[in-house]
Amino acid sequence: MAFDIDTFRVAPGDKIRLDKRDPQDTPHVDPDDRAAAETRTLELNGRLEELQELLWAQGKHRVLVVLQAMDAGGKDGTIKHVFEHVNPSGVRVAAFKKPSDDELRHDYLWRVHKEVPGDGELVIFNRSHYEDVLVVRVMDLVPKSTWKKRFGHIRAFEELLVDEGTTVLKFFLHTSKEEQRERLQERLDRPEKNWKFDAGDLVHREKWDDYMDAFADVLEETSTVDAPWFIIPANRKWYRNLAISEIMVNALEALEMTYPPAPADIAEMTISD
Ligand code: ATP
Ligand code: MG
């Protein structure tokens, strides 16, 4: 069956029950056919490379990809495996950590707006302004009356980006609590992964259910027609890579980009010795 990306898209008005969605799932793909899926992902990545080259050459559109997940949810792996062939000149990753003192002296979108893509650019947000309605909410960093209003700000902010020529694609990498346990344990057990271990992750892990509630609200409140969320079943890394590659290629194809026109007299030109 053809891969239908609408399976993952959150439509405005959808009610989201994350506990009813299986992070182990592999819609449209036989889970035993991992090899075929990996071959297809490589093909798609080749196409993504061509499309990103066009995006950069044409310098007309802007593309913003937002990645959100629980700790060890696969944001870094996605960046590595989906975008491995793109041209670093036109692509940038912006990671949003705990805000600095300077950032905290401004509104929460200040640091985010500075990082959005310019003409021809593809920018990947590793975490994003959504932290300001996720960790900030769950860890009680601001009162409810403050974070509640942010859904409206965020919808308006993204509408602004879209109106000014940005394609906005948002991915929630949906992993299970058990999968997180295995991945965090691996960070403890494998010396080459020790550097990734952060004891702070365990504090967030204890609040897993609160995070799931917060994510469900984010998905319900901020998935719009023009800046949609996609919920990606992400326990199986190969499936996550395939699904995101499919969605990326589909979105970039839809821009119907063309190379800039050649200079008028190019046909008469030759390069002399
Ligand atoms: P990895 O998955 O490799 O651990 P990471 O994205 O978790 O990478 P870290 O530096 O470990 O990177 O963590 C960043 C931390 O910053 C996260 O715990 C995140 O919740 C927190 N953070 C991001 N934005 C905000 C914010 N606006 N307010 C408070 N905390 C934030
Ligand atoms: Mg971390």
Side-chain angles (χ1 to χ4, degrees):
M1 198 205 324
F3 204 92
D4 178 6
I5 66 168
D6 283 334
T7 311
F8 312 97
R9 183 195 296 267
V10 179
D14 280 358
K15 210 62 204 116
I16 302 300
R17 290 284 308 265
L18 289 171
D19 57 336
K20 300 271 187 232
R21 292 171 180 253
D22 185 0
Q24 198 75 22
D25 217 2
T26 60
H28 313 301
V29 176
D30 176 354
D32 295 325
D33 218 352
R34 173 176 171 170
E38 285 176 339
T39 305
R40 172 79 182 137
T41 302
L42 280 179
E43 267 171 40
L44 287 163
N45 289 355
R47 183 65 189 137
L48 190 60
E49 181 186 359
E50 291 166 2
L51 288 161
Q52 185 265 323
E53 167 109 347
L54 252 176
L55 179 76
W56 185 235
Q58 194 183 26
K60 179 176 162 193
H61 301 279
R62 309 162 181 176
V63 179
L64 174 62
V65 175
V66 172
L67 296 180
Q68 286 287 164
M70 292 296 284
D71 293 300
K75 293 181 275 86
D76 291 330
T78 300
I79 293 168
K80 198 153 114 186
H81 294 289
V82 175
F83 299 97
E84 65 185 340
H85 297 298
V86 296
N87 174 2
S89 292
V91 178
R92 189 156 54 80
V93 177
F96 294 93
K97 311 271 183 194
K98 260 175 84 132
S100 66
D101 289 345
D102 191 33
E103 287 167 348
L104 284 173
R105 276 199 293 274
H106 296 80
D107 71 82
Y108 69 100
L109 290 174
W110 179 73
R111 66 172 181 164
V112 177
H113 206 165
K114 287 195 286 194
E115 298 290 349
V116 301
D119 290 344
E121 249 192 322
L122 189 161
V123 173
I124 303 155
F125 278 5
N126 181 343
R127 303 186 187 268
S128 65
H129 42 301
Y130 285 99
E131 293 293 322
D132 293 284
V133 282
L134 289 164
V135 63
V136 163
R137 164 181 174 176
V138 172
M139 304 311 278
D140 254 332
L141 303 180
V142 301
K144 182 171 181 179
S145 54
T146 301
W147 61 253
K148 267 262 173 195
K149 283 188 161 178
R150 293 182 173 175
F151 295 128
H153 306 154
I154 290 173
R155 282 193 300 267
F157 171 59
E158 293 177 356
E159 188 183 353
L160 160 76
L161 298 180
V162 170
D163 287 349
E164 294 285 321
T166 307
T167 298
V168 180
L169 300 160
K170 304 178 290 193
F171 297 100
F172 169 51
L173 313 181
H174 185 210
T175 46
S176 64
K177 195 175 180 189
E178 171 56 19
E179 180 68 21
Q180 189 198 48
R181 191 192 64 71
E182 287 173 23
R183 293 186 190 180
L184 292 178
Q185 187 65 47
E186 215 185 339
R187 291 179 180 186
L188 290 174
D189 296 344
R190 291 180 49 186
E192 74 282 12
K193 293 210 168 183
N194 286 168
W195 66 276
K196 281 194 156 198
F197 184 75
D198 175 358
D201 292 355
L202 304 181
V203 176
H204 300 291
R205 178 172 167 77
E206 276 179 22
K207 299 197 176 264
W208 183 275
D209 292 343
D210 295 341
Y211 271 103
M212 290 306 112
D213 289 346
F215 268 113
D217 282 353
V218 161
L219 296 161
E220 286 178 5
E221 295 281 345
T222 63
S223 201
T224 60
V225 172
D226 289 328
W229 274 106
F230 296 90
I231 303 174
I232 308 295
N235 272 12
R236 299 176 206 249
K237 296 171 183 171
W238 60 264
Y239 184 79
R240 168 202 78 202
N241 294 340
L242 172 65
I244 295 177
S245 300
E246 291 273 10
I247 295 167
M248 285 304 307
V249 167
N250 184 281
L252 292 180
E253 299 272 15
L255 294 176
E256 300 185 342
M257 295 179 285
T258 51
Y259 281 104
D265 49 358
I266 204 167
E268 285 98 61
M269 289 172 73
T270 49
I271 309 297
S272 57
D273 294 334

